Amino acid sequence: MASRLCLLVLSGLPGSGKTSLARKLQESWQAELAVVHVCFDELIPEDLKLERPEEDEGEDNNGDQQAISLWKQHRRAIHRNVEKLLRKSKSLPEVESNATDHDVLPDLDAKFLKCAKFAETNGRGGDNNEERQSSLAVIIDDNMYYRSMRYQYYQLARKYTVGFCEVFLHCDVETALKRNMERQSPVARETVIAMATKMEPPNPHRHTWEVMSFIYDQTTGTDGEAALEEIRELVAVATANPVLAIPEENMEEKEHNRLVCSMNVLHQADQILRKCISDVMGSAKADNRMGKAELKVLGRQLNNIRAELLDDLKHQKLQLPPVESVGPQPGEEQEGHMSSCSSLTDMDSPTEVEVIEVKTLEGYILRLFRERRAANTGNKAT
């Protein structure tokens, strides 16, 4: 079974030369590796080759919804067969699918299997048989005018950690129309024109997953052999650098970490509030403006505010700053990060809380403490 795999997606207008390029690549590679040429034109029946971008987007201009549905069924079945081929090449067991496409499209499955078997028997021989058996290139040959169509195959490459690259065959519409009319079963002229307006070429600057791409610009008279060499090199690099799979999230661990983080934030908030209360009470005693009874009432008020704030934080009634800005980590000394809160005793004058960096948990808690205290003072005055 192949251990070096690569998905090569060809895209471009009908008549841009995708199938001719695929066959040239297959011929040039036959002594090096096995090639499966997945040609949509050969797998999808003639009467279903709608290839109308507006219909693929869900607009039913001709009322032929049943044909559109069958066309999409065939595309899904091709995708499913490519995945089966990847699993087989990776020596992975087949997975039972809920899709019913294989029940209604047995001919497509048989055509695909014949194509894959042909590659196995015709791309291997000679002295380097072992090396060829460990290498496989799967060429996806379709118009792929929408980026989302190509992304489906990138997702497959990522799922099975195989190489992925794209080649976009660019030619002007008139050239594509001329070549298209020379084909045995040409695509309707209006379809080619409509597709040209909706074509989404690879854009690696905006979509990093398209970094392994090559634009074969036929309007500039690019040398065919030079382009072939560029593409062969692209596939070699993509094969040697497979797309890395996204690690599956451990939801139980994620929830545990969230709870630990939440408890840590509450613990830090509680310490900040306690120091706030201590500073305010210390300042009130130093001013000698309150008697013991008044100090006792003030202490009770401040502790009520503390309890309310902690309860709101616990039940997520308050918006917390970003996790990376919540202050010291568990085990670090907390007091060293505190600011003085003594000025909170005078609610009528500007305080340093107003200029504390609110992006930190400390600044955020101090601001909330001051706002709650001001609100309580206002309510009592009323």
Side-chain angles (χ1 to χ4, degrees):
M1 292 298 145
S3 59
R4 292 166 54 82
L5 304 168
C6 184
L7 289 178
L8 167 59
V9 176
L10 304 183
S11 62
L13 293 174
S16 59
K18 298 181 298 298
T19 301
S20 296
L21 174 62
R23 287 171 179 162
K24 286 179 183 177
L25 288 171
Q26 192 168 18
E27 183 180 347
S28 68
W29 277 331
Q30 65 179 349
E32 304 169 27
L33 71 163
V35 179
V36 173
H37 177 197
V38 182
C39 182
F40 279 51
D41 283 347
E42 295 175 1
L43 294 171
I44 298 179
E46 291 292 333
D47 57 337
L48 292 180
K49 292 176 187 173
L50 307 177
E51 298 294 5
R52 296 175 184 140
E54 61 273 14
E55 290 182 329
D56 185 54
E57 284 291 277
E59 299 177 22
D60 187 11
N61 294 336
N62 297 324
D64 195 1
Q65 197 63 44
Q66 183 179 3
I68 295 170
S69 177
L70 283 171
W71 177 72
K72 290 183 177 179
Q73 268 191 338
H74 277 76
R75 296 182 69 86
R76 286 196 300 268
I78 293 172
H79 183 274
R80 175 174 50 77
N81 272 284
V82 171
E83 180 168 14
K84 285 173 63 178
L85 177 62
L86 292 180
R87 293 190 67 86
K88 181 181 177 183
S89 299
K90 286 266 187 176
S91 300
L92 296 171
E94 282 197 32
V95 175
E96 286 294 326
S97 173
N98 294 326
T100 58
D101 296 342
H102 59 281
D103 296 326
V104 295
L105 305 175
D107 290 346
L108 187 148
D109 289 2
K111 285 180 182 178
F112 193 97
L113 185 61
K114 183 178 179 181
C115 169
K117 283 186 175 179
F118 179 84
E120 286 181 3
T121 57
N122 288 270
R124 298 167 183 179
D127 298 331
N128 296 320
N129 186 53
E130 184 177 341
E131 182 180 344
R132 279 188 286 274
Q133 287 185 6
S134 68
S135 301
L136 171 66
V138 182
I139 302 177
I140 310 297
D141 172 6
D142 182 46
N143 299 308
M144 296 282 177
Y145 43 88
Y146 288 128
R147 183 171 286 106
S148 58
M149 293 174 169
R150 306 192 298 271
Y151 187 67
Q152 290 178 349
Y153 288 92
Y154 173 81
Q155 288 177 308
L156 273 186
R158 184 172 61 188
K159 182 176 180 180
Y160 294 102
T161 320
V162 303
F164 174 87
C165 56
E166 302 175 70
V167 173
F168 172 64
L169 287 87
H170 174 62
C171 71
D172 59 81
V173 179
E174 288 306 317
T175 300
L177 286 169
K178 182 181 177 181
R179 292 177 179 172
N180 175 60
M181 292 308 297
E182 295 170 354
R183 296 162 63 168
Q184 187 174 0
S185 302
V187 178
R189 177 184 176 87
E190 59 271 20
T191 298
V192 178
I193 294 173
M195 200 178 296
T197 64
K198 295 178 179 289
M199 185 66 70
E200 297 176 345
N203 186 348
H205 299 294
R206 188 168 182 180
H207 305 278
T208 55
W209 63 271
E210 294 189 295
V211 66
M212 290 288 184
S213 60
F214 172 68
I215 296 181
Y216 184 1
D217 193 344
Q218 300 170 71
T219 63
T220 59
T222 304
D223 179 73
E225 283 303 317
L228 278 175
E229 190 56 40
E230 286 261 16
I231 296 167
R232 282 194 289 262
E233 180 63 26
L234 175 69
V235 172
V237 173
T239 304
N241 297 276
V243 182
L244 298 179
I246 296 177
E248 293 185 8
E249 286 188 317
N250 185 325
M251 297 309 295
E252 185 176 342
E253 182 180 352
K254 187 176 180 181
E255 178 63 14
H256 172 72
N257 291 338
R258 187 193 68 78
L259 290 172
V260 169
C261 181
S262 176
M263 293 302 294
N264 180 42
V265 169
L266 283 173
H267 175 66
Q268 292 182 53
D270 186 35
Q271 288 193 307
I272 293 168
L273 288 169
R274 287 178 184 276
K275 189 167 193 311
C276 269
I277 293 172
S278 176
D279 286 350
V280 172
M281 293 298 293
S283 180
K285 290 177 183 177
D287 289 344
N288 292 318
R289 291 189 298 176
M290 294 184 178
K292 288 185 178 180
E294 291 174 307
L295 286 171
K296 190 173 182 180
V297 171
L298 176 62
R300 188 160 53 246
Q301 292 171 352
L302 296 178
N303 275 297
N304 285 340
I305 293 173
R306 167 180 155 271
E308 289 172 6
L309 286 174
L310 290 175
D311 188 68
D312 287 348
L313 286 170
K314 182 178 180 180
H315 293 93
Q316 300 180 351
K317 295 180 182 178
L318 295 171
Q319 183 69 38
L320 282 172
V323 174
E324 61 268 22
S325 303
V326 298
Q329 296 301 311
E332 291 184 3
E333 188 65 31
Q334 302 292 325
E335 284 74 17
H337 296 271
M338 302 295 180
S339 298
S340 173
C341 304
S342 58
S343 55
L344 288 170
T345 55
D346 186 355
M347 302 309 300
D348 298 323
S349 62
T351 73
E352 65 179 86
V353 176
E354 294 174 348
V355 296
I356 288 178
E357 183 57 62
V358 179
K359 289 181 181 178
T360 65
L361 180 66
E362 181 186 359
Y364 179 76
I365 296 298
L366 295 182
R367 188 191 71 184
L368 289 176
F369 186 85
R370 180 173 185 271
E371 288 174 353
R372 289 289 175 95
R373 201 159 169 239
N376 285 358
T377 302
N379 290 338
K380 289 191 176 181
T382 303

